[in-house]
């Protein structure tokens, strides 16, 4: 699991459809696009793009 922390030491997050905070990003590889079946050599990384997008927002 990966947490995104800002320069003041606060964990930054986004919210899901139910308005609940999503505090951690998965660093795992997955067998399928939905990210429900972890696999060491899986080719899907569903949280990677979201994490990159959120890092860019923090760097602005």
């Amino acid at each position: 699991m990966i947490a995104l922390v800002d320069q003041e030491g606060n964990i930054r997050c986004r919210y899901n459809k139910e308005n609940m905070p999503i505090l951690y990003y998965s660093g795992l590889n997955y067998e399928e696009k939905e990210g429900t079946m972890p696999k060491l050599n899986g080719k899907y990384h569903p949280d990677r793009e979201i994490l990159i997008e959120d890092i860019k927002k923090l760097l602005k």
Side-chain angles (χ1 to χ4, degrees), residues 37-56:
M37 299 173 61
K39 188 172 183 181
L40 286 176
N41 61 348
K43 64 179 182 174
Y44 297 102
H45 318 280
D47 282 1
R48 182 181 292 170
E49 294 303 319
I50 295 169
L51 178 60
I52 291 169
E53 180 182 313
D54 291 350
I55 289 169
K56 287 178 181 178

Side-chain angles (χ1 to χ4, degrees), residues 14-25:
R14 59 173 55 210
Y15 293 87
N16 66 14
K17 294 175 185 175
E18 291 81 32
N19 207 29
M20 298 295 295
I22 302 169
L23 298 175
Y24 302 102
Y25 303 84

Side-chain angles (χ1 to χ4, degrees), residues 29-39 41-44:
N29 300 334
Y30 290 91
E31 190 168 318
E32 84 304 336
K33 290 180 183 181
E34 293 75 29
T36 60
M37 299 173 61
K39 188 172 183 181
N41 61 348
K43 64 179 182 174
Y44 297 102

Side-chain angles (χ1 to χ4, degrees), residues 5-12 58:
V5 180
D6 66 17
Q7 292 179 339
E8 283 118 28
N10 300 310
I11 294 177
R12 301 302 299 253
L58 274 181

